Every structure is written in C-alpha cells, then in structure tokens.
Amino acid sequence: MDLSDVAKKLGVSESKQLIRKAAELRRLCDVQFDSSVIGVGEVCKAVICLEISATRLGVLFDRQCAIKLSGMSEKAYTRSYNSLQNGLGVKNKLDIRELAIQFGCVRIIPFVRKGLSLYKDRFLSSLPASRRASADFTRPVFTSVAFYLCAKKHKLKVDKIKLIELSGASESEFSSVSASMIDLCFDVLGISKEKKDPRDVKGNRELLDVLPEKRKLEDGGYSSDADEGEEGSSYKKHKRMEKHEYDEWKTSVLESNKQSKTKSKVASKKSTQTRLSFLKETSETQKLEAI
C-alpha cells in the first residue's frame, strides 16, 4: 500500500512534510533491518513511520485509527512501535513541563526535576570512574519514570500506559528504571507503605528461619513478646481451630484403627483350634490287635 494512501486514511495527507519524513524513515528501516523479523508487516510499518513523523513534527495523530488500520491489538501495536523506533534509533524528546500540562500535574514540576537530578548524581557516584562517561540519561524513559513516581508520591493519578507510549520504552524497561530510581532516591521518590513483591518476601524466608522469635505462628514458629498479649486476627484463629480439629480427628482415627487391629488379632487367636493326629492313634490300635 502506498504511503500517501495510508496517510489519507489516517487523516494526515495534507502535511506533505510529514509524508516525506515517513517515507525517509521507511527507507531507513528497509536498509537497516528486516522489520518482518519483529512481526511488523508493510502496512503496519507505514502506519508506525507516519506516527513517528507526526510525533516529531507536532502533528495531531489518531492512534486508535492507526491501530485499527494496522490490524493489530493495541498491546501488539505499542510493542511493534517501540521496537521499530528503537531499531531506527529515533528518540522522543520529553519535556517535564509538557508532561505536567498534558496530565494536569503542574505542581509537581519542581519535584520531578529535583528527583531526576538527584538520581543522576547518585547513579553516577555508584559507577566506577571508567563507566561514568558512557552513562546516558538523555533517553525519555528516565523523565517519564521520574514524573510517574513523583505523581504517585503526591497521590496524583496518571496513565502509566500512556507514559510508556510517550517514552517509547517497553513495560519491562520502565519497571526496571522505576525500581532503580526507588532504590537510589527513596527519600524523594519512594512511598513509605509500598506493597512488597511476594517473590521478594518468599526469597527472604530463610531469614525468618534463622530467627525463630520473628516467625509467625502459621509458619510453625513463635510469636514476639509484643504479640503475646494481643488477639490474633479472625483468619488466624480460624486456621488454628481448623488445625486443632484436624489433629483431634487424626488422633481418633489412628486410635480406632489400632483398636480394630487389636480386636482382629484376639479373634484370630480364639478361632485357632488344635489339630488332632488320628494317624498315630490308628497305628497303635493295629499293634494291640495283632498281639
């Protein structure tokens, strides 16, 4: 399908500069790598090149219409868009102020700038001197992650998926940078009562085994002194009651089986009779008759 026809269906055919830029990107894509390897067909490639061009030139672009035209799901289209953009080496430029205006979070602008600057300083100081010169913080994913964490800390709702799309990063990359920022700048970007990952809790279970006094009752350990005088939760009570009832039932079943085995042994002894030897008696009788 011709690029002009695709642009016409997307409603951006009036901008000749946009079409020329998209055609340039498509030619670059054909030269550098095979887009079919990452699951991007010709129509989808044309749509993505048009969206990249529209984003760089500041032209309004209907992404929902683009997804429908590409024949892919929204998640698959976003993944293909990010892969193609990274393959071309095209970087989006994210401005903190523009993000704040777009998401309605203008008051967190100074906090985002402070958090991003602090993260850069602490990250560089943690690297050896030979690697500090190669550190690259120009990627938009750092700006989007700092913006998201600041909004979350100030209890402001922002669309995480939209931020990932604007940054051109994958979900795993966004999560990785987010974890790194929280570790290094928890005092500025972290939240005190964040829910822990169950995998991390499971991974630290050996620490509970080392300290029995810190183990929970349901883990087979002992409660701490502070919890000895307090009532447990109803769920824990219910679990303990169920375990107690199960132990009682198990004991009664074992005793019943033991008693039944004992009775069967006694009955088998009573039913056993002494065998009589008639052959011996018959031979003695024959001897007497012969005499």
Side-chain angles (χ1 to χ4, degrees):
M1 185 179 290
D2 187 62
L3 199 62
S4 300
D5 296 335
V6 179
K8 188 176 181 180
K9 289 185 177 182
L10 293 173
V12 292
S13 59
E14 295 180 358
S15 177
K16 302 300 180 183
Q17 184 183 3
L18 187 148
I19 296 175
R20 286 196 300 270
K21 185 67 177 176
E24 181 185 343
L25 289 173
R26 188 165 70 169
R27 284 194 297 270
L28 186 63
C29 178
D30 293 336
V31 170
Q32 289 189 356
F33 61 94
D34 184 8
S35 59
S36 61
V37 175
I38 58 176
V40 179
E42 291 300 319
V43 176
C44 184
K45 180 166 62 176
V47 173
I48 291 174
C49 288
L50 284 168
E51 182 176 357
I52 294 173
S53 301
T55 304
R56 293 176 68 83
L57 296 174
V59 178
L60 291 176
F61 189 85
D62 188 352
R63 186 162 213 192
Q64 294 301 320
C65 182
I67 293 172
K68 186 177 180 181
L69 185 61
S70 68
M72 305 174 75
S73 64
E74 185 174 357
K75 189 173 182 179
Y77 180 85
T78 303
R79 184 169 58 248
S80 300
Y81 177 87
N82 293 334
S83 299
L84 194 62
Q85 186 176 236
N86 293 333
L88 290 171
V90 179
K91 296 181 180 179
N92 290 336
K93 293 182 179 180
L94 284 184
D95 183 68
I96 297 174
R97 185 175 180 82
E98 291 179 1
L99 282 177
I101 293 172
Q102 183 176 351
F103 289 96
C105 307
V106 181
R107 66 186 178 90
I108 67 170
I109 292 176
F111 299 103
V112 177
R113 288 174 177 167
K114 179 183 176 182
L116 196 56
S117 176
L118 190 63
Y119 172 73
K120 291 178 182 178
D121 294 340
R122 292 182 179 178
F123 188 86
L124 288 173
S125 62
S126 65
L127 292 175
S130 58
R131 294 181 57 190
R132 291 176 186 175
S134 61
D136 182 20
F137 295 101
T138 60
R139 295 164 58 199
V141 65
F142 294 103
T143 304
S144 60
V145 169
F147 182 84
Y148 173 74
L149 293 177
C150 280
K152 188 177 179 181
K153 185 175 180 65
H154 290 81
K155 299 180 180 179
L156 299 173
K157 291 184 179 180
V158 294
D159 191 348
K160 183 180 178 181
I161 304 300
K162 183 66 175 177
L163 271 175
I164 294 175
E165 291 176 2
L166 290 173
S167 63
S170 62
E171 292 184 14
S172 59
E173 185 182 9
F174 190 92
S175 300
S176 176
V177 176
S178 177
S180 176
M181 280 194 180
I182 291 175
D183 288 340
L184 292 177
C185 306
F186 187 82
D187 53 338
V188 178
L189 300 174
I191 300 174
S192 57
K193 293 183 179 180
E194 285 189 329
K195 187 177 180 180
K196 293 185 178 180
D197 191 348
R199 290 173 295 183
D200 297 338
V201 176
K202 187 177 180 180
N204 293 331
R205 256 184 108 76
E206 61 271 11
L207 297 178
L208 298 177
D209 296 334
V210 175
L211 301 173
E213 67 273 11
K214 297 297 181 183
R215 281 192 247 171
K216 295 181 180 179
L217 289 173
E218 62 267 24
D219 289 335
Y222 307 96
S223 61
S224 61
D225 296 338
D227 295 334
E228 286 180 356
E230 297 179 359
E231 291 290 329
S233 64
S234 58
Y235 176 76
K236 292 179 181 178
K237 285 183 180 180
H238 182 65
K239 283 293 181 184
R240 287 198 293 270
M241 289 176 65
E242 283 186 351
K243 189 177 185 303
H244 181 67
E245 291 175 359
Y246 171 75
D247 292 338
E248 288 184 349
W249 172 81
K250 184 178 178 181
T251 304
S252 64
V253 170
L254 291 174
E255 289 180 355
S256 176
N257 290 339
K258 189 176 180 181
Q259 289 176 3
S260 63
K261 286 181 180 179
T262 305
K263 288 181 181 179
S264 63
K265 286 182 180 179
V266 172
S268 63
K269 286 181 180 179
K270 288 183 179 179
S271 61
T272 304
Q273 296 181 356
T274 305
R275 295 181 63 184
L276 300 176
S277 178
F278 293 101
L279 294 175
K280 185 176 180 182
E281 188 175 340
T282 303
S283 61
E284 290 178 355
T285 305
Q286 289 177 355
K287 286 181 180 179
L288 289 172
E289 288 178 353
I291 291 171

